[in-house]
């Protein structure tokens, strides 16, 4: 079997998702939702890649080529054999409106179509249970196979020969074969007709969704692909947006920087809706604002965690999945994330910032009102109380804390935006109240986060320290300073000197809980590109952006990290942070649509 890689193609329907490798293997997929049991787990199963996988192979197969259908997450894989025989595989998770609601079952659909010669196909369908502890037990009927996975069963309904599938035996494919791996219930209707109808309606749904995006003129394909992937990271039932679809892909080889990202970080989700708002994808924002309102309602003490489950659960206890060897055998595989216990006080600002849209955007189905403002003021109160307190920071240090400038900046943003909302609502007294608090936090940053290093000075990553981190580049993005502010320009110069490595950026260059960082952090490189644009260095910014796009997978996506020397991708995939960077930079750097006149 080939070595596991991140050359993966996401499919999904905002209920379940899957990752297809470059030879038509479904190697990662969790049920009944993104943070569930990975029934397809061969991506993290070390050298046991024939377990926890759903793969189609031709006898004497020599090549596999892939592409998405335009403006959809429907994946087409062409497998070709030595004698020229070939099949095309269509992979998708059904998503379309039915009976007045969105049909998005816990299901994967696959269609195999013979397109040349007389192909002989072998199907390996070997789902696992309990994080790779054992293969799912099976029973079967004439046209279905039932797989027992934990306390539930999943049924494969198919018009392919069930015996050949069970025995993983190759057979000649002389007509289209249809597979529906979903709820354990009788499949209503003809499998062939129904799965084809699902494919057609799913195609229509996604193309209409993309049609509503306000894309930049340049890099449209790249932006559309990232936008679709970001939408697949939303759990539509609650509105939560996960940081990535995977767990425990190492940030760098052999470092044990392996984390479970299948949860909703308030920070990451803020950046996601910010990017999709640039494109006019209001459906994602609306659902996420509902998720935030539920989070705030359920925090009686006012304290907000940095992350929650997609269902809003508070407790995400971290453990090791002992039966999975890890990506390329590089364990551990973690389930849960202990960062939920940390203090990360930037989250208060990242609740207020996206919520502010609800008071201004007239396109929303539900505009925010005074009751929402009163609720947000409680969040702002916590931002004020915590703005000068030490926390773990956005990089989630596990063994030390400090008053991190980024966290304080987001507390400033919370108070500042509340004053803007109060002004919109005509609440003069609340405007004065929140503006005064914002100014006090500003004064604290300007005095306690600034050091004179004899080279013009710079803002620092934490009060009382002189080290840098890339989050300082966000000072202009949140409008704390103007891009031409001398202090910001001096900080940009210091960051380039201290953290830039050629065309890439480190998040920081000091030791953390696991030693010195070894890989570039992709969102930080995109933050640098944004800062260069704001500094008037567009030619350099465009060059760096083009280089980052060269590192995307064949599916057009990015993970969290990048090896500086080799350019290989590391970290969980697809990473929402990184996809946000593509969208934001394309929107900033693209030439105007007016140029085609």
């Amino acid at each position: 079997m080939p070595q596991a890689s991140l050359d993966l193609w996401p499919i999904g329907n905002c209920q379940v998702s899957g990752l297809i490798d470059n030879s038509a293997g479904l190697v990662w997929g969790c049920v009944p939702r993104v943070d569930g049991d990975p029934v397809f787990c061969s991506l993290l199963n070390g050298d046991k890649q024939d377990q926890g996988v759903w793969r189609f192979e031709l006898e004497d197969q020599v090549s596999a080529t892939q592409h998405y259908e335009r403006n959809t997450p429907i994946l087409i894989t062409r497998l070709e054999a030595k004698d020229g025989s070939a099949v095309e595989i269509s992979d998708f998770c059904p998503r379309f409106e039915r009976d007045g609601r969105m049909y998005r079952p816990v299901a994967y659909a696959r269609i195999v179509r013979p397109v040349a010669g007389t192909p002989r196909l072998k199907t390996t369908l070997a789902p696992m249970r309990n994080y790779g502890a054992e293969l799912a037990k099976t029973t079967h009927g004439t046209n279905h196979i039932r797989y027992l996975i934990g306390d539930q069963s999943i049924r494969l309904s198919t018009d392919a020969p069930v015996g050949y599938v069970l025995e993983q035996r190759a057979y000649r494919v002389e007509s289209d074969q249809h597979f529906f791996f979903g709820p354990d219930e009788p499949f209503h209707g003809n499998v062939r007709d129904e799965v084809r109808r699902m494919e057609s309606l799913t195609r229509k749904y996604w193309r209409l969704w993309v049609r509503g995006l306000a894309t930049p003129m340049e890099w449209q394909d790249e932006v559309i692909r990232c936008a679709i992937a970001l939408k697949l990271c939303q759990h539509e039932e609650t509105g939560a947006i996960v940081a990535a679809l995977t767990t425990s892909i190492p940030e760098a080889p052999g470092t044990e920087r392996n984390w479970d990202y299948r949860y909703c970080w308030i920070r990451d989700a803020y950046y996601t809706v910010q990017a999709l708002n640039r494109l006019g994808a209001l459906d994602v924002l609306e659902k996420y604002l509902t998720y935030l309102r539920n989070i705030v309602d359920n925090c009686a003490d006012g304290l907000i965690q940095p992350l929650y489950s997609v269902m809003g659960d508070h407790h995400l206890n971290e453990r090791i999945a002992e039966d999975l060897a890890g990506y390329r055998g590089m364990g551990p595989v973690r389930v849960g994330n202990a960062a939920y216990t940390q203090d990360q006080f930037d989250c208060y600002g990242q609740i207020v910032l996206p919520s502010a849209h609800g008071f201004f955007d007239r396109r929303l189905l539900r505009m925010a009102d005074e009751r929402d403002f009163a609720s947000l003021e409680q969040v702002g109160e916590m931002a004020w109380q915590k703005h000068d307190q030490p926390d773990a920071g956005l990089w989630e240090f596990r063994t030390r804390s400090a008053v991190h400038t980024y966290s304080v900046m987001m507390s400033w943003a919370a108070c500042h935006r509340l004053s803007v909302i109060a002004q919109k609502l005509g609440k003069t007294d609340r405007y004065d109240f929140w503006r005064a608090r914002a100014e006090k936090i500003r004064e604290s940053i300007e005095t306690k986060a600034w050091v004179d290093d004899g080279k013009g000075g710079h803002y620092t990553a934490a009060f009382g320290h002189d080290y840098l981190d890339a989050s300082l580049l966000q000072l202009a993005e949140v409008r704390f300073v103007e891009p031409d502010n001398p202090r910001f320009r001096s900080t940009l110069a210091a960051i380039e000197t201290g953290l830039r490595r050629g065309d890439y950026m480190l998040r920081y260059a000091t030791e953390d809980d696991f030693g010195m960082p070894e890989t570039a952090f992709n969102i930080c490189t995109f933050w640098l590109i944004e800062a260069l644009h704001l500094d008037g260095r567009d030619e350099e910014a465009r060059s760096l952006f083009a280089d980052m796009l060269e590192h995307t997978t064949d599916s057009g996506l990015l993970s969290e990290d990048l090896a500086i020397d080799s350019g290989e991708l590391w970290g969980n995939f697809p990473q929402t942070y990184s996809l946000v960077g593509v969208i934001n930079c394309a929107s900033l750097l693209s030439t105007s649509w007016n140029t085609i006149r």
Side-chain angles (χ1 to χ4, degrees):
M1 300 295 294
Q3 179 175 247
S5 84
L6 295 185
D7 190 8
L8 301 168
W9 302 73
I11 59 172
N13 61 7
C14 303
Q15 173 65 41
V16 292
S17 55
L19 297 176
I20 311 290
D21 71 9
N22 57 12
S23 57
L26 177 53
V27 297
W28 184 258
C30 304
V31 298
R33 55 181 184 259
V34 64
D35 60 355
D37 191 359
V39 297
F40 299 112
C41 56
S42 70
L43 179 67
L44 300 184
N45 212 11
D47 58 2
K48 299 178 182 178
Q49 292 185 47
D50 59 342
Q51 298 181 18
V53 69
W54 185 2
R55 186 180 299 281
F56 296 114
E57 299 172 88
L58 293 182
E59 283 190 347
D60 298 321
Q61 184 173 309
V62 294
S63 69
T65 56
Q66 293 170 294
H67 70 276
Y68 282 118
E69 287 196 12
R70 189 175 74 88
N71 294 353
T72 78
I74 300 175
L75 175 64
I76 306 299
T77 304
R78 180 186 175 96
L79 303 180
E80 193 162 323
K82 185 186 297 184
D83 65 0
S85 299
V87 297
E88 282 190 348
I89 302 162
S90 175
D91 279 302
F92 66 98
C93 295
R95 179 178 173 83
F96 50 87
E97 190 170 323
R98 187 177 76 173
D99 299 329
R101 58 187 178 184
M102 192 61 65
Y103 177 67
R104 40 176 173 77
V106 180
Y108 303 90
R110 313 189 78 175
I111 303 174
V112 179
R113 296 180 169 98
V115 293
T118 55
R120 292 181 57 81
L121 182 76
K122 183 178 83 168
T123 302
T124 301
L125 178 49
M128 305 194 79
R129 61 185 297 272
N130 194 18
Y131 283 84
E134 60 181 344
L135 288 167
K137 294 179 171 58
T138 65
T139 62
H140 66 276
T142 306
N143 299 111
H144 75 270
I145 306 171
R146 181 183 292 110
Y147 296 86
L148 180 60
I149 300 170
D151 297 329
Q152 62 181 326
S153 297
I154 298 182
R155 178 186 295 226
L156 174 71
S157 300
T158 183
D159 54 9
V162 167
Y164 290 154
V165 175
L166 281 169
E167 296 180 16
Q168 300 182 20
R169 181 178 298 185
Y171 62 96
R172 180 182 289 198
V173 180
E174 297 182 338
S175 61
D176 293 0
Q177 314 272 275
H178 304 82
F179 302 81
F180 185 83
F181 187 79
D184 183 20
E185 57 193 34
F187 192 91
H188 296 291
N190 179 280
V191 173
R192 174 183 182 275
D193 293 343
E194 286 301 306
V195 173
R196 285 187 175 186
R197 187 179 67 88
M198 291 178 186
E199 180 187 34
S200 176
L201 291 173
T202 299
R203 179 186 300 114
K204 180 180 179 181
Y205 167 82
W206 284 105
R207 287 184 172 168
L208 287 175
W209 185 79
V210 169
R211 185 171 176 262
L213 298 180
T215 59
M217 193 189 79
E218 295 183 86
W219 304 294
Q220 288 186 64
D221 290 338
E222 293 84 350
V223 167
I224 288 169
R225 185 52 52 200
C226 289
I228 290 173
L230 286 179
K231 185 169 174 63
L232 294 181
C233 288
Q234 182 168 58
H235 185 68
E236 188 168 71
E237 181 181 356
T238 62
I241 300 169
V242 297
L245 299 179
T246 59
T247 177
S248 303
I249 309 296
E251 294 179 13
T255 59
E256 296 194 11
R257 296 175 184 264
N258 302 11
W259 312 113
D260 192 349
Y261 275 12
R262 301 171 299 156
Y263 307 109
C264 183
W265 270 258
I266 302 300
R267 178 188 316 112
D268 299 51
Y270 153 68
Y271 281 108
T272 297
V273 296
Q274 177 200 50
L276 289 177
N277 280 349
R278 290 184 184 229
L279 305 179
L282 289 181
D283 58 329
V284 177
L285 170 64
E286 286 180 317
K287 293 181 183 302
Y288 179 62
L289 291 182
T290 299
Y291 179 78
L292 281 185
R293 286 191 284 267
N294 280 312
I295 291 296
V296 173
D297 287 349
N298 292 330
C299 295
D301 57 3
L303 291 172
I304 303 293
Q305 295 177 188
L307 68 153
Y308 296 86
S309 82
V310 296
M311 299 303 294
D313 294 329
H314 291 66
H315 300 291
L316 304 173
N317 297 324
E318 189 174 300
R319 64 181 177 86
I320 304 299
E322 301 286 355
D323 295 295
L324 292 174
Y327 180 73
R328 299 183 186 174
M330 298 178 189
V333 173
R334 302 184 201 270
V335 181
N337 198 305
Y340 84 91
T341 64
Q342 292 183 349
D343 291 327
Q344 296 178 31
F345 298 139
D346 57 309
C347 63
Y348 299 107
Q350 286 144 357
I351 289 177
V352 174
L353 264 64
S355 298
H357 285 273
F359 296 87
F360 292 89
D361 198 325
R362 304 291 298 178
R363 297 170 297 171
L364 294 170
L365 294 175
R366 180 195 182 277
M367 294 285 291
D369 55 25
E370 293 193 4
R371 292 170 299 174
D372 297 306
F373 179 66
S375 180
L376 280 183
E377 284 198 291
Q378 298 176 35
V379 178
E381 182 63 34
M382 292 305 300
W384 168 254
Q385 291 182 21
K386 300 296 184 181
H387 81 271
D388 58 354
Q389 300 300 304
D391 71 354
L394 80 161
W395 308 124
E396 301 184 342
F397 298 121
R398 294 197 168 199
T399 59
R400 67 175 190 262
S401 63
V403 180
H404 290 96
T405 303
Y406 178 85
S407 297
V408 184
M409 174 187 70
M410 282 297 174
S411 294
W412 169 86
C415 296
H416 177 267
R417 300 308 193 269
L418 283 168
S419 73
V420 173
I421 298 169
Q423 187 175 45
K424 169 71 173 177
L425 296 176
K427 295 179 176 293
T428 304
D429 58 332
R430 304 313 293 166
Y431 168 83
D432 292 338
F433 178 83
W434 288 110
R435 185 55 60 103
R437 284 190 163 181
E439 287 306 311
K440 288 181 180 179
I441 298 176
R442 171 184 289 281
E443 180 181 351
S444 181
I445 293 175
E446 296 290 7
T447 56
K448 298 178 181 179
W450 179 260
V451 296
D452 185 354
D453 59 359
K455 303 175 183 178
H458 62 79
Y459 291 107
T460 66
F463 288 9
H465 299 270
D466 61 1
Y467 67 90
L468 296 156
D469 79 20
S471 69
L472 297 168
L473 295 173
Q474 292 288 283
L475 286 163
E477 170 62 29
V478 300
R479 304 201 308 273
F480 181 84
V481 296
E482 293 298 320
D484 60 355
N485 181 291
R487 284 194 165 192
F488 179 71
R489 300 188 76 172
S490 180
T491 300
L492 171 58
I495 286 174
E496 287 195 80
T497 299
L499 302 182
R500 185 170 174 177
R501 301 294 185 268
D503 291 340
Y504 314 113
M505 282 284 292
L506 301 176
R507 48 189 161 176
Y508 45 82
T510 56
E511 286 197 8
D512 60 17
D513 311 327
F514 294 83
M516 291 292 291
E518 298 179 26
T519 50
F521 205 70
N522 290 330
I523 186 59
C524 297
T525 302
F526 288 119
W527 285 348
L528 173 64
I529 294 168
E530 292 176 27
L532 294 177
H533 164 74
L534 294 174
D535 198 39
R537 297 157 62 182
D538 270 12
E539 184 175 345
E540 185 178 358
R542 289 175 68 93
S543 176
L544 292 184
F545 185 50
D547 181 77
M548 285 301 294
L549 293 180
E550 288 293 321
H551 291 294
T552 59
T553 61
D554 289 342
S555 60
L557 305 174
L558 288 165
S559 64
E560 183 181 52
D561 306 274
L562 187 147
I564 295 171
D565 295 334
S566 67
E568 184 176 7
L569 294 176
W570 290 90
N572 283 304
F573 179 89
Q575 176 71 16
T576 53
Y577 260 160
S578 302
L579 308 185
V580 162
V582 172
I583 292 172
N584 286 346
C585 289
S587 300
L588 290 173
L589 298 174
S590 174
T591 54
S592 169
W593 280 96
N594 292 331
T595 60
I596 65 175
R597 289 180 178 178

